[in-house]
Amino acid sequence: MKIKNPTLILYWLSSISFVTFFMLGWDYPALLAKSCVVPSIGMYYLNSRNGKFSFLPISIFLLCYMGDVAVLIDQEDFFIYSAYAFLIVYSLMLIYAVKDLKHVTFKRRDIPVILVVTGSLIYVVISVLEMQFSNPKGQNFLYLIYALVLTVLSILVFAGYTAKGSLQYLSFGLATTCFILSDIFYSIKSFYVYSDLLQLLTLAMQMLSYFFLAKYFIMREAEEARQLQKKLSVE
């Protein structure tokens, strides 16, 4: 029997192995498994696109890989490098969110829902920032910019999904939500109270975010190809 997506199977195997090894405290096997996670989802993206790819998705996956490896090194300087890497990732995702929103038409009934979610999200972000600012060694300016970019990204993606509701937007929304939850759980366990459950949830959300992000890129580029083909056939 032919395996349809061996790279996707490798991704889930490496993700589950990493989470398991990390939770057991096996640092070296966890590092080896972690080093396969982002490359395997990147290969899944490339295989799904038959070798045709865009520069930005590859850049995003590369930055995720750098951020993942840096955060495994238990030193404060490397944690800062990881934070900067993911800040760039969220900024690049924000570019996609802005571009996608140009093709969305909003209705009046969408506005109240968007406002409620926006207010709730801002409240949660402020609460998390208060925990981070309580750390005397914290990088407060970095945390503020990080939270601002992620908040704007989340609002734009949710607004687009509320108005359009496509599978492409659903994947983008799930990826963004998983990134947010991963950062929230990480902040709580780092600045408030440590828990093995929070650690597990942080890792699980991070693994899911890469999968949904890859699915978003695949669907988005496939849709762009269909639109281009349709335009050429009309001409």
Side-chain angles (χ1 to χ4, degrees):
M1 180 177 178
K2 185 178 179 181
I3 299 176
K4 187 176 181 180
N5 288 314
T7 51
L8 187 58
I9 294 175
L10 176 61
Y11 171 73
W12 288 117
L13 285 176
S14 57
S15 297
I16 294 172
S17 298
F18 164 68
V19 173
T20 303
F21 293 148
F22 191 89
M23 295 303 295
L24 290 174
W26 299 353
D27 295 338
Y28 186 67
L31 182 60
L32 291 178
K34 184 69 166 180
S35 64
C36 298
V37 171
V38 177
S40 59
I41 199 64
M43 289 302 300
Y44 167 68
Y45 159 72
L46 290 175
N47 289 343
S48 299
R49 296 293 300 134
N50 296 319
K52 301 177 182 179
F53 61 92
S54 300
F55 174 75
L56 278 182
I58 295 300
S59 300
I60 288 174
F61 286 131
L62 179 60
L63 287 165
C64 288
Y65 177 77
M66 295 169 59
D68 277 353
V69 174
V71 81
L72 285 178
I73 302 175
D74 192 18
Q75 295 184 16
E76 185 175 352
D77 291 341
F78 285 94
F79 166 75
I80 297 302
Y81 297 149
S82 176
Y84 277 116
F86 280 103
L87 176 59
I88 299 174
V89 167
Y90 297 152
S91 299
L92 294 177
M93 290 173 63
L94 186 59
I95 294 175
Y96 278 104
V98 172
K99 288 182 178 180
D100 289 348
L101 213 58
K102 294 179 180 179
H103 307 288
V104 174
T105 302
F106 293 98
K107 300 177 181 178
R108 286 187 177 181
R109 66 184 183 209
D110 299 329
I111 297 177
V113 179
I114 295 173
L115 290 177
V116 170
V117 173
T118 298
S120 302
L121 182 61
I122 291 175
Y123 174 79
V124 172
V125 169
I126 292 176
S127 299
V128 174
L129 282 175
E130 287 178 350
M131 286 189 295
Q132 293 176 328
F133 287 170
S134 65
N135 182 13
K137 296 182 180 180
Q139 301 287 331
N140 292 346
F141 181 74
L142 174 60
Y143 295 153
L144 182 61
I145 299 300
Y146 193 95
L148 179 62
V149 172
L150 189 54
T151 301
V152 173
L153 170 64
S154 304
I155 292 172
L156 294 183
V157 172
F158 181 80
Y161 176 73
T162 301
K164 196 169 184 179
S166 64
L167 287 176
Q168 175 183 316
Y169 253 117
L170 177 61
S171 295
F172 200 9
L174 289 173
T176 305
T177 300
C178 288
F179 275 122
I180 292 173
L181 292 176
S182 177
D183 288 341
I184 289 175
F185 292 144
Y186 181 86
S187 298
I188 294 174
K189 78 176 184 63
S190 297
F191 303 107
Y192 186 63
V193 58
Y194 179 84
S195 166
D196 288 337
L197 178 60
L198 287 173
Q199 179 67 71
L200 180 61
L201 290 173
T202 300
L203 300 177
M205 290 300 103
Q206 190 178 47
M207 299 302 101
L208 288 172
S209 65
Y210 298 150
F211 170 72
F212 289 123
L213 190 60
K215 296 293 288 186
Y216 163 72
F217 288 142
I218 293 168
M219 286 188 284
R220 188 181 193 276
E221 292 177 16
E223 179 62 25
E224 287 181 342
R226 283 193 294 268
Q227 292 297 330
L228 179 60
Q229 185 65 33
K230 184 178 179 181
K231 182 179 180 181
L232 293 176
S233 62
V234 172
E235 293 178 354

